[in-house]
Each structure stands twice: as structure tokens, then as C-alpha cells.
């Protein structure tokens, strides 16, 4: 099965803080995604990428930047974190037949 | 626009009873439908996916049938187990699309 890892697994920051969430996949998948998961909203797409240097905007991009440095690595940046960005963040990569493989998630708390 | 709807936010039932979780979609093009399952403190993972040849996908006792006439892909199981307690997401992708569109999820709780 496809392997997707995320770090850190838990993060606490203050309002206005700077946060970087990291994601790595080792399955040579082209597409990678960042989602946030909130009760009552399900999984919402923030940004995605189909290769190194590429970035596409998802459905809830405000307050987030992302960067895909290599085929394996995809980063999510919160430059001025706000309490509304407290959430569980998942990274995913897309393999064959449109199946997405999710990482273990990063729990972010913005105080 | 494209969308997927899961009408039940919470479903609670007793072990041994049948399970049916609803999923309907709106799509301009022929879709692929998916069910993802997320157990507590775990990542979502694929449970099953619709086939292009209309075969009924099955996995771990769950099955779902794509009904294009009613735009539905309901998840079913004949007998619920305690270990089925989890959050279930229906999702779809239009043919050739890069994006999965997820429903809001249904929390299934199976009681002894």
C-alpha cells in the first residue's frame, strides 16, 4: 500500500504564528493534496499539486500557502495562523484508478 | 456543479442489524464513486470503489451499487459488527478529473 507520512503529528502555536506542515510520499505519485477535516464539514481541499513546482488552489485556500519542492514532498504553510485554522490536516497522494492514500494527519491547535 | 450528499450525519444501530448509509451525487459527467472509512484516530482509507463495468464492489462484507438512474451509491452490509463503528465518507471523481469530492461523512456507531 502507498506510504504517506506527515510531520509533525501535533502542533500548538499562537495566533499570528508561522507554521509549516510537511508531507512525504514515496510511491512516485504525481498528485498530492492537502485537506482539513472539521466536524460537520468533512474533508475539505485546501491545495493540491500534480508535480514538483506545481500548485493548484482547492476549495478553502484562504490563509494557506503550499509548495511542492520535489515529487515526494509537499508542504503547507500558515504564515499568520488564526484560531479558525485549528483543525486536523491530512495529506494525500493519488495512485492508480483515482484512489487517494492519506497520511496519518497533523493535529494543529492555534491559541 | 458537482456535489455529493450524505444525508445522515449519525447512524446508531445494534450489532447484527443491517447497515445502509446513503450517498447521492450530482455530476455532469460519468463519475467514479468511492467509499472511504476512517476509524478513530486513523487516516481515511479506501473501502470500495465503483467499477466501470457495473460490477458490484465488495470489501469486508460491505458492498455498494452504483445506480446512475437515481445518482446513488449507497453502502450496505447485511450484519453490522462492533468493529464497523467509524466515520464513512462517500466521494466521487468525474472521469479524468484530478479531484475527489467528499461528502460530509456519516458517523456509524454499532452498539452491542
Amino acid at each position: 500500500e502507498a506510504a504517506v507520512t506527515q510531520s509533525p503529528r501535533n502542533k500548538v502555536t499562537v495566533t499570528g504564528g508561522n507554521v509549516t506542515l510537511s508531507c512525504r510520499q514515496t510511491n512516485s505519485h504525481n498528485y498530492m493534496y492537502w485537506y482539513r477535516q472539521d466536524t460537520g464539514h468533512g474533508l475539505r481541499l485546501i491545495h493540491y499539486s500534480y508535480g514538483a513546482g506545481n500548485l493548484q488552489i482547492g476549495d478553502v485556500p484562504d490563509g494557506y500557502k503550499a509548495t511542492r519542492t520535489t515529487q515526494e514532498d509537499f508542504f503547507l504553510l500558515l504564515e499568520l495562523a488564526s484560531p479558525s485554522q485549528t483543525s486536523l490536516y491530512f495529506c494525500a497522494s493519488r495512485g492508480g484508478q483515482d484512489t487517494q492514500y492519506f497520511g496519518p494527519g497533523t493535529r494543529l491547535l492555534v491559541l | 456543479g458537482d456535489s455529493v450528499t450524505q444525508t445522515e450525519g449519525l447512524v446508531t444501530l445494534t450489532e447484527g442489524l443491517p447497515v445502509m448509509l446513503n450517498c447521492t451525487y450530482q455530476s455532469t459527467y460519468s463519475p467514479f464513486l468511492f467509499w472511504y472509512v476512517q476509524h478513530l484516530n486513523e487516516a481515511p482509507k479506501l473501502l470500495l470503489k465503483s467499477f466501470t463495468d457495473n460490477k458490484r464492489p465488495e470489501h469486508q462484507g460491505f458492498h455498494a451499487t452504483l445506480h446512475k438512474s437515481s445518482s446513488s451509491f449507497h453502502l450496505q452490509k447485511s450484519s453490522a459488527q462492533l468493529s464497523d463503528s467509524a466515520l464513512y465518507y462517500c466521494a466521487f471523481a468525474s472521469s479524468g478529473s484530478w479531484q475527489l469530492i467528499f461528502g460530509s461523512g456519516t458517523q456509524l456507531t454499532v452498539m452491542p
Side-chain angles (χ1 to χ4, degrees):
Chain A
E1 186 167 301
V4 182
T5 57
Q6 293 182 236
S7 62
R9 296 294 312 278
N10 294 279
K11 176 72 177 179
V12 180
T13 190
V14 295
T15 298
N18 198 321
V19 176
T20 299
L21 307 184
S22 302
C23 177
R24 165 166 281 207
Q25 57 94 6
T26 56
N27 296 281
S28 302
H29 292 165
N30 289 327
Y31 282 88
M32 295 184 73
Y33 306 81
W34 278 108
Y35 294 92
R36 60 177 291 173
Q37 184 180 41
D38 305 285
T39 302
H41 292 280
L43 289 161
R44 293 183 289 177
L45 182 65
I46 305 171
H47 290 297
Y48 72 101
S49 165
Y50 56 75
N54 176 265
L55 179 64
Q56 303 293 320
I57 294 172
D59 299 321
V60 289
D62 293 345
Y64 302 96
K65 292 183 179 179
T67 181
R68 180 90 175 267
T69 54
T70 65
Q71 187 173 33
E72 293 78 20
D73 298 303
F74 194 29
F75 301 92
L76 186 67
L77 294 78
L78 292 73
E79 294 183 332
L80 288 171
S82 73
S84 64
Q85 294 176 307
T86 292
S87 187
L88 178 58
Y89 291 87
F90 285 104
C91 175
S93 69
R94 191 184 85 166
Q97 299 187 335
D98 303 313
T99 300
Q100 290 193 16
Y101 299 90
F102 287 82
T106 294
R107 210 170 277 280
L108 175 65
L109 174 61
V110 184
L111 299 173
Chain B
D2 295 339
S3 65
V4 59
T5 301
Q6 295 179 251
T7 53
E8 310 113 336
L10 293 168
V11 172
T12 302
L13 48 78
T14 303
E15 187 179 17
L17 291 180
V19 179
M20 187 163 104
L21 306 184
N22 292 320
C23 174
T24 57
Y25 65 91
Q26 282 189 309
S27 177
T28 306
Y29 303 104
S30 295
F32 289 105
L33 273 294
F34 303 78
W35 278 100
Y36 279 78
V37 59
Q38 184 180 16
H39 288 94
L40 189 63
N41 296 323
E42 295 183 7
K45 59 184 179 182
L46 182 68
L47 180 60
L48 48 79
K49 174 189 171 182
S50 63
F51 289 106
T52 54
D53 58 1
N54 294 323
K55 289 181 182 176
R56 189 179 81 168
E58 296 190 26
H59 186 61
Q60 297 179 346
F62 286 94
H63 63 268
T65 302
L66 180 60
H67 291 289
K68 293 183 180 179
S69 59
S70 58
S71 298
S72 67
F73 191 60
H74 305 320
L75 184 67
Q76 294 178 276
K77 187 176 184 181
S78 59
S79 176
Q81 299 176 287
L82 296 176
S83 58
D84 294 331
S85 293
L87 179 60
Y88 291 81
Y89 285 107
C90 183
F92 90 92
S94 295
S95 179
S97 171
W98 46 262
Q99 184 179 1
L100 275 183
I101 297 176
F102 286 89
S104 55
T106 297
Q107 180 67 50
L108 174 65
T109 301
V110 180
M111 310 287 287

